[in-house]
Amino acid sequence: MRTIGVIGGMSWESTAVYYRRLNEEVRAALGAFHSAKLVLYSVDFQEIERMQMAGDWLTAGDLLAATACALEAAGADFLILATNTMHKVASTIERRAGIPLLHIVDATGAALRAAGFTRVGLLGTRFVMEDGFYAERLQARYGVDVIVPDAAARAFVHRVIYDELCLGILREDSRAHYRRVIADLVAQGAQAVVLGCTEIPMLIGADDARVPLFDTTDIHVRAAIAKALE
């Protein structure tokens, strides 16, 4: 089994889900007392969040690249970045680290293509929904066109992620509003909806939509374990 290097802490709420799911997948695959071989580096999300809000992606990329190098030195064979948003700086990590990064958009794109979907809705932070790095990779590499919510809905989805989900707060009124946002995406032609934030599945599940929901955390975990067990 290869050792997975996990760059986590963004937020620790979703990183805890990653840790549990990685071990569950190994146990399901190998049985008995098997668990995942991994090295976890959990950063201080307050520092990252400050860089995000300031638009200082250069410093954020340098910080996460240094973290990736530390995981490599600790024995990791490949990397996963346990967040969707910070894949905005994935190229910096890939340039600096001597081990490969399993990109969350590639894992998600492969899952969408395998399922036959070519037009999907995308929920995530405003960076994921607005900055292009996510949708452009899905379209260019996997032929998947992306629909995002309107400006007001994007602002709401983003606010709930930072002010509620990253703090472990789950509100029924927020769940109801997310359902309406998803329904609007479906009305615009979305065949499925990508939950492009690792915290959103804490709030939203399959019963909250009438189209398939692609949980990027779960997809990323399953891809990572498949690679670890190759």
Side-chain angles (χ1 to χ4, degrees):
M1 189 191 314
R2 294 186 177 94
T3 299
I4 306 168
V6 183
I7 306 174
M10 299 165 284
S11 68
W12 69 259
E13 293 281 352
S14 62
T15 300
V17 176
Y18 263 89
Y19 182 78
R20 175 174 54 80
R21 289 289 296 118
L22 286 164
N23 284 290
E24 287 173 346
E25 283 295 310
V26 170
R27 183 173 60 191
L30 301 180
F33 297 108
H34 286 287
S35 56
K37 291 179 64 177
L38 61 85
V39 185
L40 170 62
Y41 193 130
S42 187
V43 302
D44 180 0
F45 188 39
Q46 181 68 51
E47 297 177 10
I48 299 293
E49 188 269 348
R50 189 179 300 117
M51 294 170 193
Q52 290 175 341
M53 298 308 160
D56 189 3
W57 299 101
L58 181 62
T59 302
D62 286 342
L63 189 155
L64 294 187
T67 300
C69 292
L71 288 170
E72 180 183 2
D77 295 306
F78 69 95
L79 299 164
I80 60 172
L81 182 54
T83 162
N84 282 272
T85 295
M86 295 312 295
H87 278 76
K88 184 175 170 73
V89 300
S91 60
T92 302
I93 296 170
E94 289 169 330
R95 283 197 306 271
R96 296 263 296 275
I99 53 176
L101 172 71
L102 180 59
H103 201 295
I104 199 168
V105 178
D106 291 337
T108 301
L112 289 168
R113 186 164 59 187
F117 295 118
T118 57
R119 185 172 173 83
V120 301
L122 175 63
L123 299 182
T125 66
R126 65 179 172 87
F127 311 111
V128 165
M129 294 186 288
E130 297 176 3
D131 287 2
F133 69 95
Y134 209 98
E136 290 168 8
R137 193 177 183 107
L138 280 178
Q139 206 291 319
R141 297 194 174 201
Y142 302 96
V144 177
D145 293 326
V146 172
I147 308 167
V148 297
D150 63 29
R154 292 197 304 271
F156 177 80
V157 169
H158 178 89
R159 183 190 65 75
V160 167
I161 291 168
Y162 280 87
D163 294 351
E164 298 174 22
L165 302 183
C166 286
L167 301 175
I169 299 168
L170 305 178
R171 295 171 54 103
E172 284 302 318
D173 58 337
S174 296
R175 179 179 286 113
H177 198 149
Y178 265 55
R179 287 171 177 161
R180 291 193 292 272
V181 173
I182 291 170
D184 287 343
L185 292 171
V186 174
Q188 295 176 61
Q191 302 162 325
V193 174
V194 173
L195 304 182
C197 168
T198 53
E199 282 81 21
I200 291 178
M202 296 164 55
L203 182 68
I204 293 295
D207 293 339
D208 294 304
R210 59 185 180 86
V211 298
L213 298 179
F214 280 71
D215 176 347
T216 54
T217 301
D218 191 59
I219 291 167
H220 204 199
V221 163
R222 286 187 278 112
I225 295 306
K227 185 175 182 64
L229 297 179
E230 282 177 350

